[in-house]
């Protein structure tokens, strides 16, 4: 397929409604068609139900056991664009001032366009070390695609270690981020007519004790801090959010079920198992003899990379960054690091405009990002 400009390619990418509730296969097929050429290997890593796919697109020798080369990674899904306030079609790229607006323009199809074109314009004959694109599904609903990828990846050689995850960071290098652990608590009761409450067991009332216990637990967490808390000055602790409570069917019915959903944003180097065990003890203490069920609905692990990792130093030197930058949102890097990838979060656009009406990416970020990525690709993939 003939090369498009970065803006033309971004326009094509945002035209696909790849909201997480939809299949991403039409977008994945377009990406594969655009990048396919002699010397390129394309693999679709399908979701368990076959309706979605992660993509791995590779160029260069696949026998580099030293793990040289570069991985560029991003997610193909976007959050819904159902909210009011859009000034233009969210699935059509529109220039507004010095920025380009569309759903996913910043988070994160702007980076996908830059990565795809740096790949597309590279001559396979000049590639000394692999350049690999990993594009995932369902990042926005809990990094589910990346989780599936690390559990099913079967290529014969390891991936290159140096990895750029192109989330919107305003082109700053982020070497650590919090995780996001999503937990669901269920309490079962016995339904009955509210005029005969002795025949039932109210499931909502004991959940009130759980909420009080979780409130006290949140306050404890805010006092404790944790590893690397100094790099998260706005929220230097594990943030716990009681996000949703549901139960009951009618005012004249004793409710037979109550469900509570909560999120915990773990600091880097914190373990999911330990957090879940501690949370279970809090709930159990609040409920006493009342039975409950607690399940991890989704786990997006935190991430931390050593400041002296080569890819971090490369990007920091290129942009003259001296300080450590962190992020309080989770990314696919939390899972990809388990494959031995050394991940830096670095991409055009700002997280502050993501998930909002009129999401946009500055034109200057796209231009500068393309130049920086091209330089890094050549440094890691074409130099002997």
């Amino acid at each position: 397929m003939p090369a498009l400009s970065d803006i033309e390619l971004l326009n094509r990418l945002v035209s696909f409604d790849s909201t997480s509730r939809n299949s991403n296969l039409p977008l994945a097929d377009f990406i594969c068609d655009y990048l396919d050429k002699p010397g390129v290997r394309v693999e679709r890593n399908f979701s368990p139900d076959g309706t979605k796919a992660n993509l791995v697109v590779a160029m260069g020798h696949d026998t580099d056991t030293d793990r040289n080369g570069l991985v560029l990674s991003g997610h193909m899904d976007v959050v819904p664009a159902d909210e009011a306030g859009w000034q233009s079609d969210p699935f059509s790229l529109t220039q507004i001032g010095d920025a380009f607006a569309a759903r996913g323009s910043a988070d994160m199809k702007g980076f996908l366009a830059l990565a795809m074109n740096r790949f597309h314009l590279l001559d396979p004959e000049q590639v000394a070390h692999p350049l690999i694109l990993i594009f995932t599904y369902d990042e926005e609903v809990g990094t589910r695609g990346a989780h599936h990828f690390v559990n099913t990846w079967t290529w014969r050689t390891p991936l290159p270690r140096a990895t750029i995850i192109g989330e919107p960071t305003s082109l700053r290098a982020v070497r650590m981020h919090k995780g996001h652990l999503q937990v669901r608590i269920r309490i079962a009761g016995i339904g009955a007519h509210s005029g005969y409450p002795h025949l039932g067991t109210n499931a909502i009332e004991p959940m009130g004790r759980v909420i009080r216990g979780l409130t006290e637990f949140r306050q404890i967490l805010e006092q404790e801090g944790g590893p690397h808390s100094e790099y998260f000055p706005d929220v230097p602790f594990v943030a716990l959010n009681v996000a949703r409570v549901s139960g009951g069917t009618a005012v004249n019915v004793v409710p037979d079920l109550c469900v509570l959903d909560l999120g915990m944003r773990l600091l880097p180097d914190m373990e999911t198992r330990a957090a879940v065990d501690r949370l279970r003890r809090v709930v159990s203490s609040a409920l006493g003899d009342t039975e409950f069920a607690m399940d991890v609905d989704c786990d997006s692990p935190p991430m931390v990379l050593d400041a002296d990792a080569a890819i971090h130093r490369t990007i920091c030197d290129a942009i003259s960054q001296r300080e450590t930058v962190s992020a309080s949102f989770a990314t696919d890097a939390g899972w990809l690091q388990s494959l031995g990838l050394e991940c830096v979060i670095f991409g055009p656009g700002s997280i502050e405009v993501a998930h909002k009406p009129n999401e946009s990416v500055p034109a200057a970020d796209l231009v500068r990002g393309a130049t920086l990525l091209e330089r890094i690709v050549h440094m890691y993939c074409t130099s002997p």
Side-chain angles (χ1 to χ4, degrees):
M1 184 179 294
L4 302 172
S5 71
D6 291 339
I7 301 302
E8 290 171 334
L9 180 54
L10 178 55
N11 185 40
R12 293 292 301 275
L13 295 178
V14 301
S15 70
F16 290 89
D17 182 357
S18 57
T19 305
S20 305
R21 63 195 174 204
N22 300 330
S23 170
N24 76 329
L25 296 183
L27 173 57
D29 289 344
F30 167 78
I31 292 172
C32 292
D33 289 344
Y34 185 76
L35 296 176
D36 188 28
K37 63 181 178 181
V40 170
R41 302 182 302 282
V42 177
E43 181 170 325
R44 292 170 173 84
N45 173 238
F46 285 98
S47 61
D49 65 1
T51 64
K52 299 182 181 183
N54 298 309
L55 293 181
V56 182
V57 187
M59 183 188 302
H61 302 293
D62 61 356
T63 57
D64 195 333
T65 56
D66 292 331
R67 305 192 70 173
N68 297 312
L70 182 67
V71 173
L72 302 178
S73 182
H75 59 83
M76 293 176 278
D77 63 317
V78 297
V79 298
D82 302 333
E83 67 272 65
W86 280 93
Q87 298 175 5
S88 58
D89 181 351
F91 297 104
S92 178
L93 196 67
T94 303
Q95 186 165 3
I96 301 177
D98 58 359
F100 292 93
R103 173 57 80 224
S105 56
D107 188 16
M108 56 181 297
K109 291 178 178 178
F111 176 81
L112 296 189
L114 298 185
M116 288 170 62
N117 264 349
R118 304 305 64 80
F119 187 101
H120 191 279
L121 296 172
L122 197 61
D123 182 354
E125 296 296 324
Q126 297 179 345
V127 176
H129 306 292
L131 175 61
I132 297 180
L133 307 182
I134 300 176
F135 292 168
T136 62
Y137 68 85
D138 281 3
E139 189 274 348
E140 294 289 8
V141 289
T143 61
R144 298 178 188 273
H147 189 186
H148 176 69
F149 177 76
V150 302
N151 285 335
T152 58
W153 178 244
T154 57
W155 251 13
R156 62 179 180 173
T157 54
L159 295 162
R161 290 190 185 278
T163 302
I164 298 175
I165 311 287
E167 295 281 358
T169 66
S170 298
L171 296 177
R172 302 181 77 201
V174 172
R175 71 175 184 90
M176 66 177 69
H177 67 61
K178 290 186 177 183
H180 194 205
L181 176 64
Q182 301 175 47
V183 175
R184 173 163 289 181
I185 300 167
R186 295 180 178 87
I187 297 176
I190 299 174
H193 192 291
S194 64
Y196 302 89
H198 60 289
L199 300 178
T201 302
N202 192 308
I204 292 178
E205 290 177 355
M207 192 65 85
R209 301 201 302 272
V210 173
I211 293 171
R212 287 195 297 272
L214 291 173
T215 299
E216 294 172 1
F217 183 40
R218 174 181 59 77
Q219 294 167 346
I220 291 171
L221 292 173
E222 291 176 0
Q223 297 300 315
E224 283 184 349
H228 308 288
S229 59
E230 67 273 21
Y231 295 110
F232 298 87
D234 293 334
V235 187
F237 49 79
V238 175
L240 187 151
N241 180 42
V242 176
R244 182 169 52 214
V245 182
S246 59
T249 56
V251 175
N252 60 349
V253 177
V254 175
D256 63 354
L257 179 67
C258 188
V259 178
L260 182 148
D261 293 308
L262 64 88
M264 295 179 69
R265 295 199 175 266
L266 304 183
L267 289 159
D269 283 333
M270 283 186 162
E271 294 291 336
T272 296
R273 183 185 299 275
V276 172
D277 288 345
R278 191 176 181 191
L279 184 63
R280 188 180 300 277
R281 290 194 295 271
V282 169
V283 176
S284 181
S285 176
L287 288 175
D289 294 334
T290 301
E291 294 184 357
F292 68 95
M294 193 176 87
D295 300 296
V296 174
D297 187 52
C298 200
D299 180 18
S300 298
M303 183 276 291
V304 62
L305 178 67
D306 190 280
D308 292 327
I311 186 62
H312 183 251
R313 290 264 50 91
T314 295
I315 297 175
C316 286
D317 290 346
I319 61 176
S320 300
Q321 177 180 313
R322 297 292 172 257
E323 74 279 11
T324 285
V325 180
S326 64
S328 289
F329 54 86
T331 78
D332 285 338
W335 286 114
L336 295 180
Q337 68 183 348
S338 66
L339 296 176
L341 305 189
E342 296 180 345
C343 301
V344 177
I345 317 303
F346 177 77
S350 169
I351 195 66
E352 294 181 1
V353 303
H355 301 195
K356 295 181 179 180
N358 307 306
E359 173 186 350
S360 64
V361 59
D365 274 22
L366 295 174
V367 173
R368 184 168 179 244
T371 300
L372 290 167
L373 270 188
E374 187 164 338
R375 186 189 311 171
I376 294 168
V377 165
H378 281 285
M379 183 184 304
Y380 277 78
C381 300
T382 66
S383 301

